[in-house]
Amino acid sequence: QKEVEQNSGPLSVPEGAIASLNCTYSDRGSQSFFWYRQYSGKSPELIMSIYSNGDKEDGRFTAQLNKASQYVSLLIRDSQPSDSATYLCAAGPNSYDKVIFGPGTSLSVIP
Amino acid sequence: EAQVTQNPRYLITVTGKKLTVTCSQNMNHEYMSWYRQDPGLGLRQIYYSMNVEVTDKGDVPEGYKVSRKEKRNFPLILESPSPNQTSLYFCASSSGWAGERHTQYFGPGTRLTVL
């Protein structure tokens, strides 16, 4: 059974701090990795994708991938109350298959 | 505006009464999926479709049917709904699958309650 695991949280950080979200995946064949943000009652929204080992930065967000450790993380710098949401990690194959989502980590940024 | 639409957004029904949730996308995407989201379980794929008349089961297909007669539409059918199908349902579409580095765009969700 292919799995993606995340700490469910809630993770609470003060405004302006760095929020660190972690994810592990079981399928070594996974090649594509995604972070989605989901506000309560809303649909998931893609915020980062990463395909190669190392770091990928986009504004305040940095995704990190370590395929040897089967580990993906998302760092949010200068966290804002508007970042309070559930963050879904997803892993996808490089074949005709489907993306597997983790259960999500709830983040709360305290003003 | 590029979007995925779902209808209805909210539905309360009774056990055994057939229902259809519609999904439509205006981006000419080949790939469409249905997910259900339950607390603590995340998004689980029900069915997906790679193109017209091509569908396949996801992780939790039992109790659901789909069809893909047109590229833009991918309805989800519950022929005999049961209370364990009470959930939040999302339709998604993309121009390819994950391996081709195409991302999924999600509809607004349908909250279904089966009494």
Side-chain angles (χ1 to χ4, degrees):
Chain A
Q1 180 79 3
K2 299 174 185 177
E3 292 182 341
V4 174
E5 296 183 347
Q6 300 177 249
N7 290 328
S8 61
L11 174 65
S12 294
V13 300
E15 183 175 357
I18 296 175
S20 178
L21 304 163
N22 304 316
C23 169
T24 59
Y25 60 95
S26 64
D27 182 14
R28 284 196 173 274
S30 298
Q31 297 291 328
S32 307
F33 305 89
F34 307 92
W35 283 100
Y36 286 82
R37 178 176 62 200
Q38 186 176 24
Y39 293 113
S40 180
K42 302 296 185 182
S43 56
E45 171 194 14
L46 181 73
I47 52 172
M48 289 287 288
S49 57
I50 186 166
Y51 308 96
S52 304
N53 278 330
D55 296 357
K56 179 181 178 182
E57 187 174 319
D58 184 0
R60 296 186 296 112
F61 298 96
T62 299
Q64 300 174 315
L65 174 61
N66 183 327
K67 290 185 179 180
S69 299
Q70 296 178 245
Y71 176 86
V72 191
S73 66
L74 179 70
L75 300 178
I76 306 175
R77 290 182 300 281
D78 188 25
S79 296
Q80 301 296 309
S82 59
D83 295 325
S84 297
T86 296
Y87 289 80
L88 306 175
C89 174
N94 194 24
S95 63
Y96 216 59
D97 206 335
K98 57 190 185 295
V99 171
I100 305 295
F101 284 82
T105 297
S106 174
L107 172 66
S108 179
V109 180
I110 312 300
Chain B
E1 179 189 355
Q3 60 182 351
V4 179
T5 58
Q6 295 177 228
N7 282 292
R9 295 287 314 280
Y10 303 91
L11 178 61
I12 300 175
T13 189
V14 296
T15 298
K17 185 176 181 181
K18 181 179 179 179
L19 67 91
T20 299
V21 184
T22 64
C23 173
S24 183
Q25 50 92 5
N26 63 0
M27 295 169 279
N28 201 37
H29 285 166
E30 289 84 16
Y31 189 84
M32 299 184 74
S33 290
W34 274 105
Y35 294 89
R36 61 178 289 174
Q37 187 173 37
D38 302 289
L41 297 178
L43 282 163
R44 294 180 293 167
Q45 193 178 55
I46 302 170
Y47 269 96
Y48 61 102
S49 170
M50 287 72 77
N51 213 324
V52 174
E53 302 292 2
V54 182
T55 62
D56 204 352
K57 296 177 181 179
D59 293 323
V60 288
E62 294 78 20
Y64 304 95
K65 286 177 60 176
V66 293
S67 68
R68 188 91 181 273
K69 293 183 169 53
E70 303 168 280
K71 196 172 188 179
R72 63 182 293 128
N73 296 324
F74 190 43
L76 179 69
I77 303 158
L78 286 72
E79 297 219 324
S80 183
S82 62
N84 64 11
Q85 293 178 297
T86 293
S87 187
L88 179 59
Y89 291 86
F90 288 104
C91 179
S93 75
S94 71
S95 57
W97 64 93
E100 289 188 336
R101 306 188 175 192
H102 295 286
T103 61
Q104 295 193 87
Y105 297 88
F106 284 83
T110 295
R111 186 166 293 281
L112 172 65
T113 301
V114 183
L115 302 174

